[in-house]
C-alpha cells in the first residue's frame, strides 16, 4: 500500500513568535488558554519553511460527508433500519439536513461520497441538484462482520486510496469530514476496543438520556453481537487488519482522506466518534497526520470520550451532539475564524 509522506509541523521558534503575537500586552502567559493551542496548531500547519509566516488564510473550505452501510446492521445492533442511511443521504442531497444549513452559513463546499451504500439511490434522488454526489462505491455495504470480515484487505486498501483521491482533486486548504451510516458506531466501538485496549462494554458505552436509543435488552443484544465479532476477528490486531475485519468503507475512506489532506498541509476538521476512529487509523498509518487534525467536539457517545482520551486530544467543544454528518466540525468553525483574526498582522 503506497501512502504519501506527511511532514511533521513541530517548530519551537514559530511557537514562540506566535505566542508573542496573540498574548495581549500586560497579560500573563497563556492568557487565551486552549485558544492559544489552536492558534499555534493552525500556524504550524500553514507555515511552509523557509517562507516566513504572515497570517492564516482559509481557502475554499470543503465539507465531505462519506456514506456507507454495514452488514452488521442485519444483527439488530442499531435503533434504526439500514434503509435510514439512504434516507439521510437523500435529505442532504435535497438540502434538508443540518449539515446543509451550516455549510451554507460558513461558505463550505459540501460533497457527499457514496463509499458503499447498500441501496442504490433512485434517479430522482440523484437529480436533486442541491449537493454533488461522488460515486466511489467499494461495495453495496460491508459484509456482516459477525459472520465474516467486513471487507477484504484489498477492499480496505481500495477505500483508503479512494479517500485520498477525493481530497487530491479538491481545491482549498481546509477539509472537514463527516459520516452517514447506520451501524457505524458499532464499527467505531470495535476499532476503539481493538486498537486502544478499551473494554468493549466501555467502548460501546451507554447513554441513559439518548432519546430513540437502545433499551437495556437491545443494548445487551448489541454487546453480545459485538463480542461475537471481536472474538471471530481476534487475530486482526494491526490497524489495517482491524479496519478490514471490523471497519466500514466510509471509515477507511475518511482515513485515506486525512492522510492525503495532511500530506498537502491542509487543515483537517474531525467530527465525532466515527470520524475519530478514522483518525485513529490514519495516525497509525502516518503518525505525523496527528499534527493536522483538529477535533471539533466531544459527542454524547461515551466511546468517543474514551477515544479522545487515548488520542490525547482536546476537542474544541462539548455540545452533546449525536447527529453526525460533520455538523460538529461546522459548529466549531467560528473558533478557527477567531484564531485567524487573533493572528492577523496588526495595522
Amino acid at each position: 500500500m503506497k501512502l504519501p509522506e506527511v511532514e511533521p509541523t513541530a517548530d519551537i521558534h514559530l511557537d514562540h513568535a506566535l505566542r508573542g503575537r496573540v498574548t495581549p500586552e500586560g497579560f500573563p502567559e497563556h492568557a487565551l488558554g486552549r485558544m492559544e493551542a489552536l492558534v499555534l496548531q493552525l500556524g504550524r500547519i500553514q507555515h511552509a519553511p523557509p517562507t516566513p509566516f504572515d497570517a492564516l488564510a482559509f481557502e475554499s473550505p470543503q465539507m465531505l460527508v462519506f456514506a456507507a452501510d454495514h452488514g452488521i446492521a442485519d444483527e439488530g445492533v442499531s435503533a434504526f433500519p439500514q434503509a435510514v442511511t439512504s434516507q439521510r443521504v437523500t435529505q442532504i442531497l435535497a438540502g434538508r439536513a443540518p449539515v446543509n444549513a451550516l455549510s451554507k452559513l460558513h461558505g463550505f463546499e459540501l460533497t457527499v461520497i457514496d463509499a458503499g451504500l447498500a441501496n442504490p439511490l433512485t434517479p430522482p434522488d440523484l437529480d436533486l441538484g442541491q449537493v454533488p454526489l461522488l460515486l466511489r462505491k467499494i461495495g453495496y455495504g460491508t459484509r456482516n462482520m459477525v459472520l465474516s470480515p467486513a471487507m477484504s484487505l484489498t477492499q480496505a486498501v481500495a477505500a483508503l486510496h479512494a479517500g485520498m483521491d477525493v481530497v487530491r482533486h479538491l481545491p482549498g486548504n481546509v477539509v472537514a469530514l463527516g459520516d452517514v451510516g447506520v451501524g457505524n458506531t458499532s464499527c467505531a466501538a470495535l476499532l476503539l476496543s481493538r486498537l486502544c485496549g478499551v473494554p468493549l462494554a466501555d467502548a460501546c458505552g451507554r447513554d441513559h438520556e439518548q432519546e430513540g436509543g437502545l433499551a437495556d435488552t437491545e443494548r445487551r443484544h448489541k454487546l453480545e453481537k459485538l463480542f461475537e465479532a471481536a472474538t471471530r476477528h481476534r487475530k486482526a490486531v494491526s490497524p489495517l487488519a482491524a479496519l478490514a475485519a471490523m471497519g466500514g468503507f466510509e471509515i477507511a475512506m475518511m482515513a485515506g482522506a486525512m492522510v492525503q489532506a495532511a500530506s498537502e498541509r491542509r487543515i483537517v476538521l474531525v467530527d465525532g466518534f466515527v470520524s475519530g476512529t478514522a483518525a485513529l487509523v490514519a495516525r497509525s498509518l502516518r503518525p505525523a497526520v496527528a499534527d493536522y487534525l483538529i477535533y471539533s467536539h466531544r459527542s454524547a457517545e461515551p466511546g468517543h470520550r474514551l477515544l479522545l482520551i487515548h488520542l490525547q486530544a482536546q476537542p474544541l467543544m462539548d455540545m452533546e451532539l449525536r447527529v453526525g454528518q460533520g455538523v460538529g466540525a461546522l459548529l466549531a468553525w467560528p473558533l478557527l475564524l477567531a484564531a485567524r483574526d487573533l493572528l492577523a498582522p496588526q495595522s
Side-chain angles (χ1 to χ4, degrees):
M1 180 176 59
K2 187 174 182 180
L3 297 174
E5 295 299 322
V6 177
E7 188 73 22
T9 66
D11 189 328
I12 295 175
H13 299 294
L14 177 65
D15 286 355
H16 178 74
L18 295 182
R19 282 194 182 96
R21 284 173 58 170
V22 300
T23 302
E25 186 175 349
F27 281 79
E29 287 188 81
H30 311 302
L32 291 174
R34 286 169 51 200
M35 193 68 193
E36 179 184 288
L38 176 62
V39 167
L40 298 183
Q41 182 181 6
L42 294 171
R44 290 192 296 265
I45 292 172
Q46 293 206 345
H47 177 228
T51 306
F53 178 85
D54 181 29
L56 293 175
F58 303 140
E59 302 168 359
S60 301
Q62 305 291 318
M63 178 71 244
L64 304 180
V65 180
F66 293 84
D69 279 302
H70 303 267
I72 195 172
D74 294 342
E75 300 289 343
V77 297
S78 174
F80 301 98
Q82 191 175 76
V84 169
T85 302
S86 294
Q87 292 173 12
R88 290 174 180 168
V89 169
T90 300
Q91 289 173 351
I92 298 174
L93 295 178
R96 301 195 305 267
V99 68
N100 297 95
L102 293 173
S103 294
K104 182 178 180 181
L105 173 66
H106 294 312
F108 275 68
E109 291 293 327
L110 173 60
T111 304
V112 178
I113 300 94
D114 179 355
L117 291 173
N119 301 306
L121 299 175
T122 59
D125 295 332
L126 296 174
D127 297 335
L128 292 170
Q130 296 288 327
V131 175
L133 175 69
L134 291 183
L135 301 178
R136 297 301 174 95
K137 190 188 297 289
I138 304 298
Y140 287 87
T142 55
R143 294 187 292 270
N144 185 346
M145 68 181 75
V146 173
L147 306 176
S148 68
M151 51 185 142
S152 67
L153 281 173
T154 300
Q155 288 178 314
V157 171
L160 284 165
H161 285 162
M164 291 164 52
D165 190 61
V166 168
V167 169
R168 192 182 295 119
H169 288 90
L170 290 175
N173 61 4
V174 178
V175 177
L177 302 173
D179 58 88
V180 176
V182 170
N184 59 12
T185 55
S186 293
C187 301
L190 285 162
L191 290 174
L192 169 62
S193 178
R194 180 58 49 86
L195 299 180
C196 302
V198 173
L200 188 53
D202 295 335
C204 187
R206 180 175 184 171
D207 184 354
H208 288 287
E209 299 177 355
Q210 185 166 352
E211 184 178 350
L214 296 175
D216 285 348
T217 55
E218 293 169 323
R219 179 177 179 272
R220 284 195 295 270
H221 170 76
K222 176 178 180 177
L223 269 176
E224 288 173 3
K225 293 301 178 181
L226 296 192
F227 274 117
E228 286 183 38
T231 301
R232 174 174 288 276
H233 307 298
R234 58 189 175 278
K235 294 182 180 180
V237 294
S238 72
L240 185 58
L243 175 66
M246 299 179 290
F249 294 136
E250 82 278 39
I251 295 175
M253 281 199 194
M254 285 191 289
M258 291 173 188
V259 171
Q260 183 66 35
S263 75
E264 299 174 8
R265 297 191 79 94
R266 302 196 198 207
I267 296 163
V268 181
L269 271 168
V270 183
D271 187 31
F273 187 25
V274 177
S275 55
T277 55
L280 181 65
V281 173
R283 288 169 51 146
S284 71
L285 297 173
R286 284 285 186 266
V289 167
D291 293 353
Y292 299 84
L293 304 181
I294 295 173
Y295 298 90
S296 58
H297 74 108
R298 181 186 292 109
S299 76
E301 288 280 350
H304 190 208
R305 298 166 185 266
L306 297 174
L307 174 63
L308 291 169
I309 290 170
H310 177 84
L311 294 172
Q312 297 182 320
Q314 282 280 7
L316 298 182
M317 310 181 308
D318 187 343
M319 302 288 286
E320 300 183 0
L321 298 175
R322 304 181 179 98
V323 65
Q325 303 181 1
V327 167
L330 294 173
L331 285 174
W333 179 244
L335 289 174
L336 279 77
L337 297 179
R340 179 194 62 188
D341 289 356
L342 284 170
L343 267 182
Q346 300 297 316
S347 58

